[in-house]
Amino acid sequence: MVKEAVVRDEPARQVADEDGSTPAERRRRARRGEGDRLRAEIVEAASELLAATGELSLRAVAREVGVAATSIYLHFRNLDELVLAVKTRYFAEFGKALDEAARLAGDEPLVRVRARALAYVRYGTEHPGRYHAMFTSEMLPPGMRSTAHFAGVEVFEAAADEVAAAMGPGEDAGMLAVHLWTALHGIVALRAARPNFPWPDLTREIDSLTGRLLGIG
Amino acid sequence: MVKEAVVRDEPARQVADEDGSTPAERRRRARRGEGDRLRAEIVEAASELLAATGELSLRAVAREVGVAATSIYLHFRNLDELVLAVKTRYFAEFGKALDEAARLAGDEPLVRVRARALAYVRYGTEHPGRYHAMFTSEMLPPGMRSTAHFAGVEVFEAAADEVAAAMGPGEDAGMLAVHLWTALHGIVALRAARPNFPWPDLTREIDSLTGRLLGIG
DNA sequence: TGTACATCAGTGAACGCGCGTTCACTGATGTAC
DNA sequence: TGTACATCAGTGAACGCGCGTTCACTGATGTAC
């Protein structure tokens, strides 16, 4: 009722949008030195859109922010650059969530690994869009899929150290870390892809999995 | 050099396409009762396209077959129906590959499980496009993602039976089967998403994984 | 044996959509004089 | 204290693209008489 029919690309002006927030108000033109404010708003909106829909279009972001589509080019050379910025953000947040979980778990190595593993799958299942964006191949044409896809290893490496600490010497910590990572990824990804399968309780599943992988009943 | 400039949607006519095959020749109009020939060709082309690119467009399929885009509507009500036909095909092929591997493995349960697991990840890594199409969520809007996404359970169930046979009584076969499935999926999916990670040898990985999960050194 | 006609297998133009990107531009803000 | 002007932050029209789907059609094949 309140909204006018918006005919074209034109961003909403003084109209509150449907959830009651007023991006139009936020969208007062930045002052001289504050050009980066728009950049932050763009990344924020893109982040939410990618999380919600699993894909990102420049025009959708511009619409969300309440700005002309072209304005995005003031801060990003193209769509890929924006996507990269968003993913970087996700990885930082994800890594922080895992570290926090491990910190809260105390000193016992196995407990720490379990906490980290549970935090991993929790984050993945609670933020399927983000997780998808971070860890799902888009089947890029060969050539492109080399460098950029290596992001997120730090997360793995932190977990690998944890695993190494949780096990006796003489065991293949590298292989175990790989088992753990792939298993956790599989849990998250399959739950997203097959939401109707009768999956077990997540905590039980992680306890059972880590127990078996690390050789503890 | 041989190809003329193709200006519009118009399918290639008497011209051999770049790999030397001549779809134009195949595309002689079907005889009276043989209307289903085109259907088979469409599914075949769609199957190859989806495997190669990870996505499917009606117009691309039509181009590949050498037929007007509208001709697809003679056999499928819309794009989704075609995609479904292709996925059904993939699942049948995938299931057959696993069964065949188990058959060749003989009678020893653990050997059978290992063979099945290895066949699973082999199929997945060798046909990333097909696997992606079968098992990767497309983040459909809620409402759509209920029924259709349950396809492929038979494959899981065959594996679950195998796992149950491979373990002693009193253990939680269901949980173990879930561990195995998610782990295998994770291996396939992460290798596709992170091709530059130093992954271990696939056979060693599967041996190690199944050993740990099923409690055998 | 010849021919009119129904049917089957397919065509081709057109639609409206959202997209990424380009280009020339505008108008408020701050600063130099 | 006033004003010309550069610069910064952003706009808006336009482009060409591939897409799914619709619609009215065409023309070869087989069959009934």
Side-chain angles (χ1 to χ4, degrees), chain A residues 13-189:
Chain A
R13 289 207 187 282
Q14 306 292 27
V15 192
D17 67 10
E18 47 261 13
D19 53 57
S21 71
T22 55
E25 196 184 334
R26 285 206 324 264
R27 261 301 76 233
R28 203 127 268 157
R29 181 211 205 83
R31 285 255 227 11
R32 239 356 170 28
E34 302 177 348
D36 281 352
R37 244 188 40 200
L38 178 55
R39 193 198 145 90
E41 286 181 51
I42 289 170
V43 173
E44 174 61 26
S47 171
E48 274 168 29
L49 272 173
L50 186 52
T53 65
E55 62 192 10
L56 203 54
S57 94
L58 213 132
R59 295 184 106 110
V61 172
R63 238 177 282 132
E64 189 67 21
V65 176
V67 100
T70 46
S71 300
I72 294 187
Y73 289 96
L74 297 173
H75 297 282
F76 301 92
R77 282 149 44 101
N78 51 42
L79 183 61
D80 288 343
E81 217 173 66
L82 173 55
V83 170
L84 187 64
V86 171
K87 288 190 183 178
T88 304
R89 201 178 208 237
Y90 288 164
F91 274 114
E93 188 190 298
F94 181 50
K96 221 157 66 186
L98 299 201
D99 289 345
E100 177 68 4
R103 198 182 61 75
L104 288 174
D107 288 336
E108 222 277 281
L110 178 63
V111 177
R112 287 174 66 85
V113 170
R114 281 194 155 137
R116 202 176 262 278
L118 191 58
Y120 188 111
V121 294
R122 282 248 173 84
Y123 187 96
T125 51
E126 281 165 17
H127 304 101
R130 285 180 229 253
Y131 190 85
H132 181 90
M134 287 190 279
F135 286 113
T136 297
S137 157
E138 286 128 53
M139 295 212 50
L140 299 174
M144 229 340 258
R145 63 179 154 190
S146 36
T147 48
H149 270 290
F150 213 65
V153 239
E154 328 82 35
V155 176
F156 168 76
E157 277 163 1
D161 293 347
E162 213 86 74
V163 168
M167 57 188 300
E171 296 213 68
D172 189 345
M175 181 66 92
L176 250 189
V178 167
H179 286 337
L180 189 59
W181 187 25
T182 52
L184 298 179
H185 177 73
I187 289 171
V188 172

Side-chain angles (χ1 to χ4, degrees), chain B residues 2-168:
Chain B
V2 179
K3 284 195 93 173
E4 307 172 32
V6 174
V7 186
R8 296 174 322 98
D9 271 347
E10 183 179 306
R13 288 206 188 281
Q14 305 292 24
V15 193
D17 68 11
E18 45 262 10
D19 53 52
S21 72
T22 55
E25 196 184 335
R26 287 206 320 265
R27 263 299 77 233
R28 205 128 266 160
R29 181 210 204 85
R31 285 256 227 10
R32 240 353 170 29
E34 302 178 347
D36 280 352
R37 243 186 44 200
L38 176 56
R39 193 197 145 92
E41 286 181 52
I42 289 171
V43 172
E44 173 62 27
S47 170
E48 275 168 28
L49 272 174
L50 186 52
T53 66
E55 61 193 11
L56 203 53
S57 92
L58 213 134
R59 296 184 105 108
V61 172
R63 238 177 282 132
E64 189 66 24
V65 177
V67 102
T70 45
S71 300
I72 294 187
Y73 289 97
L74 296 172
H75 297 282
F76 301 92
R77 281 149 44 103
N78 52 41
L79 182 61
D80 288 342
E81 216 174 68
L82 172 55
V83 170
L84 186 65
V86 170
K87 287 191 183 178
T88 303
R89 202 180 207 232
Y90 287 166
F91 274 115
E93 187 191 298
F94 181 50
K96 220 156 68 182
L98 298 202
D99 289 344
E100 177 69 5
R103 198 180 61 74
L104 288 175
D107 288 335
E108 222 278 280
L110 177 63
V111 177
R112 287 175 66 86
V113 170
R114 281 193 153 137
R116 203 175 262 278
L118 191 58
Y120 187 112
V121 294
R122 281 248 173 82
Y123 188 95
T125 50
E126 282 165 17
H127 305 100
R130 285 180 230 253
Y131 190 86
H132 181 90
M134 286 189 280
F135 286 113
T136 297
S137 157
E138 285 128 52
M139 296 210 49
L140 298 174
M144 223 348 253
R145 63 180 154 187
S146 38
T147 48
H149 270 292
F150 214 66
V153 237
E154 328 82 36
V155 175
F156 168 76
E157 277 164 3
D161 293 346
E162 212 86 77
V163 168
M167 56 188 301

